[in-house]
Structures are given as structure tokens and as C-alpha cells.
Amino acid sequence: QVQLLESGPGLVKPSETLSLTCTVSDYSITSGYYWGWIRQPPGKGLEWIGSIHHSGSAYYTTSLKSRATISVDTSKNKFSLKLSSVTAADTAVYYCVRDQSREVPAIDWGRGTTVTVSS
Amino acid sequence: EIVMTQSPATLSVSPGERATLSCRASQSVGSNLAWYQQKPDQAPRLLIYGASTRATGIPARFSGSGAGTEFTLTISSLQSEDFAVYYCQQCNNWPYTFGQGTKLAIK
């Protein structure tokens, strides 16, 4: 069973950069298809942020493309999300996920981590 | 970017009855459509992928159908644990996109 664990600050100030890491256990990140980030603002639906392959190829949602960067560290079996110039609208639960294949997205999820943007 | 539209926003159904949830894509996504279930304070879980294939451990009362732009999730004989929010997601084109969700409520 693949284990995914998100970590990072729970509070970020407006205009700063949100940084989260997803640690993958019991599975090699280089064996996976794509690894992604999904977020959910309080009381709202799911928003796909982006995904990365262990080779470094990444895709992002249109609305966050200019602010989001996903990277992968195969030596540490982790991947990360950076979101710059955050505002209160970026307050959300952030989930990391494993895509098994093009046909099987988000088969495994982390528990999620809450990030609040506030001064 | 492909827009996914789910209907209805809220569906009220009695336990033991059938629930039918819809998802429409703004352009064809083939069969690359997934359904997720989310319960309060939990991460979502994958129910259906490839439009109609149940994920591991998902009961047979959950079924998915459709292709192209129109998709349906059917839950036959609703159990108490099925009342939750359901999301569809297309994984045919980057960027992947979700529908806004359907809340399945107890009638």
C-alpha cells in the first residue's frame, strides 16, 4: 500500500510562497506514472493543481500555471509544490496523490494538510 | 481546458433506493473519466476509472457508464455510508479537471 504524507507550514502570509512536500513510502517514486497535487478550499470542491513525472515533466492547471511549481526529488522519494504570491483564496486543504496511469488517476491520496493564508 | 459539469448539485434519495449522478464534459474525453467519493473530513477516494471500471474494494452497487461527453454514476440500493459528495474528473487531456461535485443527501 502506497503511503503519501504531506508536510509544510500550516500558516503562510499573503504575498509569500507556500511550500509543501509529499513523502512517498512503500513505493518508489520512479516506478510511478505521475504524482500530483489537488486542493480543496473550505466548503468547496476539488481543484487539480498539477502533476509531475519522475523525469520532471510537469503539467499545471491554467489558473495557477504562473504561480505553481512542482518538483521531484527521486533520491529522497519526495515531490513538492511551491505556490508563489499567495492570497487568502489559496487557503485550502492540499492533497498529494499518485496517478497509476492515464486511465487511473489519483488512486492513492495523502491525508491532506491545511494551509491558511493570513497575516 | 475541459470544463466538467455535474448535475444535480444536490440529490436527495432514500436509503435502499437508486441514485443517478451525471457528469458532462465540454469536449470528448473518451473513456478517461473517474469518479470519487468524499465523506466529511476525509480525503476523497477513487471509485470508478475508465468511466466504468470499479477501483479495488469498491462494492458492486457502484457502477459507471458513458463515453465521450456524457457520463453517469449509478448507486443501486443506497446504503447509509454512501451519503457523501461525489466528483467526476477527466484525465484525458492536461490539465485534468474536476466537476463541481454532487452532494448525495438522505431524503
Side-chain angles (χ1 to χ4, degrees):
Chain A
Q1 179 82 20
V2 181
Q3 305 288 335
L4 302 167
L5 183 63
E6 305 91 348
S7 59
L11 180 64
V12 181
K13 290 183 169 55
S15 80
E16 295 190 344
T17 296
L18 176 160
S19 295
L20 296 175
T21 296
C22 183
T23 301
V24 181
S25 304
D26 300 322
Y27 194 91
S28 172
I29 206 165
T30 59
S31 298
Y33 176 62
Y34 273 80
W35 304 86
W37 290 95
I38 291 166
R39 71 179 183 178
Q40 185 170 37
K44 296 189 177 180
L46 302 172
E47 179 180 28
W48 183 85
I49 299 171
S51 292
I52 191 165
H53 189 263
H54 62 79
S55 65
S57 172
Y59 296 90
Y60 301 93
T61 192
T62 304
S63 62
L64 297 176
K65 198 170 186 177
S66 63
R67 297 195 293 127
T69 302
I70 300 175
S71 58
V72 62
D73 187 337
T74 56
S75 66
K76 294 183 179 178
N77 223 41
K78 297 179 179 181
F79 62 104
S80 300
L81 168 69
K82 290 189 186 298
L83 187 64
S84 63
S85 305
V86 297
T87 69
D90 296 308
T91 293
V93 176
Y94 286 76
Y95 297 100
C96 60
V97 301
R98 178 178 78 93
D99 294 340
Q100 177 173 296
S101 66
R102 182 186 183 192
E103 295 78 19
V104 190
I107 190 169
D108 297 304
W109 293 68
R111 281 190 222 172
T113 187
T114 299
V115 178
T116 301
V117 178
S118 175
S119 55
Chain B
E1 161 173 321
I2 297 175
V3 177
M4 307 300 294
T5 303
Q6 290 185 242
S7 61
T10 303
L11 181 62
S12 297
V13 184
S14 299
E17 293 188 340
R18 174 189 296 256
T20 302
L21 289 67
S22 297
C23 175
R24 175 177 293 178
S26 61
Q27 65 188 74
S28 177
V29 298
S31 295
N32 291 313
L33 190 285
W35 289 94
Y36 301 85
Q37 176 193 66
Q38 187 179 32
K39 297 179 181 179
D41 299 319
Q42 293 185 18
R45 71 163 173 165
L46 180 66
L47 291 178
I48 301 283
Y49 62 87
S52 61
T53 303
R54 283 189 301 278
T56 302
I58 301 304
R61 64 181 182 272
F62 291 90
S63 63
S65 63
T69 61
E70 300 283 344
F71 300 89
T72 300
L73 174 69
T74 301
I75 312 169
S76 63
S77 190
L78 278 162
Q79 306 297 302
S80 57
E81 62 266 30
D82 299 335
F83 292 96
V85 180
Y86 293 83
Y87 296 93
C88 63
Q89 181 199 30
Q90 68 82 18
C91 49
N92 192 62
N93 289 42
W94 303 106
Y96 290 175
T97 43
F98 285 98
Q100 78 278 22
T102 291
K103 180 178 181 179
L104 185 54
I106 301 176
K107 188 174 182 180

